[in-house]
């Protein structure tokens, strides 16, 4: 079996297994052995989770029949990730089939033993999808009397576009959300407590407000309100991040969606594919990176690094795509803005940060704050 594909194959199929053996991960590793096995001991490939061309849930080796038994008819939810982005893209990859009839519960296996319960935004998502069957975490191997196993209809890699069934599920959810007056939205990371982003993002906020945008801090909002904001938005702009996975779930062809790159790697490509599947065209991507600020010893930019932007190039890119009126009115960061921003990000890292220039905006090969 190959990785799941958006248009054809097992990603769009549902199989039913009688007396299925369900195994949670046997250890906390990146690619755990876990999943579903038939009563004859055969791996159920439809229950696997893939990321790109890599199977993230490896087949259970030498399975033995579990002692515990779960009667009734249940649906396979898959691997439960606590991480926001992986939950939305991979744990929820089978939500297109949650409406199967006569389901007693939806079964998940936790990625590691510290995942004791679902978080509130996760249970909110099931409510928005109209799910009525309760969710259940399986911590010990169990025999399930009847297990309905949908294929992986969404995720990271080639499946990021989503199957037609997955996209239809998202459209149905979007239709049930309230419709606010139209708005232009800038997704900010200035209230995000973690590491990774762009320098001087408050400077971007000020300029976007001047151009009629509402600043949105998704981590401070309930999931329903985030989706409502995105549904009502005519323009959605922000630095590339997992927030766009949520925006992509309610995206439609009427919206202009724009990534400002914060790192010079391909991390944004799966999100771009998701949005392309929903709106029928690629999102706008603006590359105004002048440098990456990375932890000392890092070979390249990553999810923890910080992008330094060429604000003149950023303003021109926004203007060329009709997102701001006059690039000449864009006010770039002052020396004080830059100093304060550097002080703020270095406080989030234990070690030194190293500046590595990139692309056509390259200034110095390396520098330190």
């Amino acid at each position: 079996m190959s990785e799941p594909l958006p248009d054809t194959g097992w990603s769009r199929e549902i199989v039913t297994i009688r007396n299925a053996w369900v195994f949670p991960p046997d250890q906390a590793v990146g690619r755990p052995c876990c999943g579903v096995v038939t009563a004859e001991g055969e791996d159920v490939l439809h229950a696997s989770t893939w990321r790109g061309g890599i199977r993230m849930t490896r087949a259970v080796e030498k399975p033995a029949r579990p002692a515990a038994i779960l009667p009734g008819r249940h649906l396979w939810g898959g691997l439960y990730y606590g991480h926001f982005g992986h939950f939305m893209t991979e744990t929820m990859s089978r939500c297109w089939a949650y409406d199967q009839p006569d389901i007693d519960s939806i079964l998940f296996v936790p990625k590691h033993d510290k995942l004791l319960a679902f978080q509130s935004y996760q249970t909110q998502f099931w409510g928005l999808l109209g799910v009525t069957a309760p969710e259940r975490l399986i911590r010990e191997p169990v025999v399930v009397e009847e297990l309905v196993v949908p294929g992986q209809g969404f995720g990271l890699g080639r499946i990021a576009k989503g199957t037609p069934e997955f996209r239809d599920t998202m459209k149905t959810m979007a239709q049930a959300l309230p419709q606010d007056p139209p708005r232009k939205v800038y997704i900010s990371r200035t209230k995000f407590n973690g590491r990774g982003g762009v320098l001087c993002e408050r400077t971007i906020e000020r300029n976007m407000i001047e151009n009629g945008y509402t600043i949105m801090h998704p981590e401070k909002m309930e999931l329903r309100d985030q989706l409502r904001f995105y549904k009502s938005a005519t323009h959605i702009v922000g630095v590339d991040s997992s927030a766009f996975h949520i925006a992509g779930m309610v995206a439609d062809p009427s919206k202009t969606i724009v990534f400002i790159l914060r790192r010079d790697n391909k991390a944004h490509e799966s999100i771009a594919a998701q949005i392309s599947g929903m709106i029928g065209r690629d999102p706008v991507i603006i590359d105004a990176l002048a440098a990456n600020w990375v932890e000392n010893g890092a070979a390249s930019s990553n999810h923890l690094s910080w992008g330094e932007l060429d604000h003149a190039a950023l303003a021109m890119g926004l203007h060329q795509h009709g997102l701001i009126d006059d690039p000449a009115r864009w006010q770039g960061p002052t020396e004080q803005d830059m100093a304060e921003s550097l002080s703020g990000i270095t406080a989030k890292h234990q070690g030194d940060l190293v500046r590595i220039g990139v692309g056509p905006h390259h200034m110095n090969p390396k520098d330190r704050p």
Side-chain angles (χ1 to χ4, degrees):
M1 177 181 284
S2 68
E3 66 180 289
L5 302 174
D7 298 317
T8 186
W10 66 275
S11 58
R12 305 180 64 182
E13 298 172 352
I14 298 175
V15 297
T16 300
I17 310 297
R18 299 286 301 182
N19 297 316
W21 300 356
V22 173
F23 294 89
D26 56 352
Q27 54 183 320
V29 295
R31 296 175 57 227
C33 293
C34 63
V36 180
V37 176
T38 68
E40 294 72 36
E42 296 179 358
D43 181 35
V44 178
L45 294 172
H46 283 72
S48 59
T49 296
W50 292 65
R51 186 180 302 164
I54 299 173
R55 181 174 171 175
M56 300 304 294
T57 54
R58 293 180 293 139
V60 178
E61 299 178 0
K62 300 180 180 179
R65 179 185 172 88
I69 296 176
L70 180 62
R73 175 178 163 88
H74 304 266
L75 188 136
W76 173 248
L79 187 62
Y80 168 40
Y81 286 92
H83 179 275
F84 176 81
H86 290 296
F87 175 85
M88 286 296 175
T89 55
E90 294 173 324
T91 299
M92 297 306 298
S93 65
R94 292 172 167 86
C95 70
W96 62 273
Y98 284 1
D99 60 351
Q100 295 301 298
D102 303 320
I103 295 297
D104 295 317
S105 72
I106 303 172
L107 307 183
F108 297 89
V109 292
K111 178 68 162 52
H112 53 77
D113 58 11
K114 291 183 173 58
L115 294 172
L116 302 177
F118 296 104
Q119 299 177 53
S120 61
Y121 79 86
Q122 297 166 346
T123 56
Q124 284 178 39
F125 196 8
W126 286 310
L128 292 169
L129 289 167
V131 177
T132 56
E135 68 279 357
R136 185 195 299 255
L137 284 175
I138 300 297
R139 302 187 174 281
E140 300 293 338
V142 63
V143 176
V144 180
E145 182 179 6
E146 184 177 0
L147 186 64
V148 179
V149 183
Q152 182 183 344
F154 183 50
L156 301 173
R158 297 173 69 183
I159 193 60
K161 180 181 175 182
T163 63
E165 292 80 7
F166 177 84
R167 296 197 299 269
D168 286 346
T169 298
M170 294 299 100
K171 291 172 185 176
T172 299
M173 179 182 70
Q175 290 169 359
L177 292 167
Q179 181 66 54
D180 291 355
R183 55 165 66 91
K184 297 191 292 185
V185 170
Y186 176 78
I187 305 171
S188 173
R189 291 172 65 88
T190 57
K191 294 186 179 180
F192 176 58
N193 291 327
R195 292 174 288 175
V198 294
L199 291 170
C200 301
E201 191 171 14
R202 289 188 174 86
T203 300
I204 302 176
E205 288 181 342
R206 291 196 296 268
N207 283 281
M208 297 306 279
I209 290 171
E210 288 295 318
N211 283 275
Y213 285 76
T214 298
I215 306 303
M216 178 183 178
H217 299 96
E219 64 277 4
K220 302 299 181 182
M221 301 170 67
E222 295 288 338
L223 180 63
R224 181 182 179 87
D225 292 332
Q226 293 180 48
L227 290 165
R228 177 174 56 83
F229 256 61
Y230 295 136
K231 175 183 176 177
S232 305
T234 58
H235 299 68
I236 302 173
V237 183
V239 298
D240 66 280
S241 70
S242 294
F244 278 97
H245 282 305
I246 307 301
M249 288 172 177
V250 292
D252 63 60
S254 70
K255 302 185 189 308
T256 298
I257 300 181
V258 183
F259 298 169
I260 299 169
L261 295 186
R262 64 183 174 99
R263 47 198 168 178
D264 60 340
N265 59 30
K266 298 181 178 181
H268 65 282
E269 290 184 351
S270 286
I271 310 177
Q274 175 192 354
I275 289 171
S276 176
M278 293 295 287
I279 69 176
R281 63 182 185 281
D282 292 336
V284 173
I285 297 176
I286 296 177
D287 181 0
L289 276 170
N292 295 300
W293 290 82
V294 303
E295 292 184 329
N296 196 11
S300 61
S301 63
N302 54 42
H303 66 289
L304 301 178
S305 62
W306 299 82
E308 177 186 327
L309 302 180
D310 179 330
H311 277 254
L314 172 60
M316 185 59 66
L318 291 168
H319 175 67
Q320 288 174 346
H321 292 284
L323 302 163
I324 65 172
D325 294 330
D326 184 0
R329 296 180 60 187
W330 187 276
Q331 298 293 316
T334 64
E335 290 185 6
Q336 182 176 349
D337 291 333
M338 180 63 77
E340 290 177 353
S341 185
L342 280 171
S343 176
I345 70 169
T346 53
K348 293 187 175 185
H349 297 259
Q350 294 182 349
D352 293 336
L353 291 175
V354 176
R355 181 185 185 277
I356 305 176
V358 299
H361 312 290
H362 176 88
M363 297 177 185
N364 298 308
K366 287 191 177 181
D367 200 358
R368 293 177 183 267

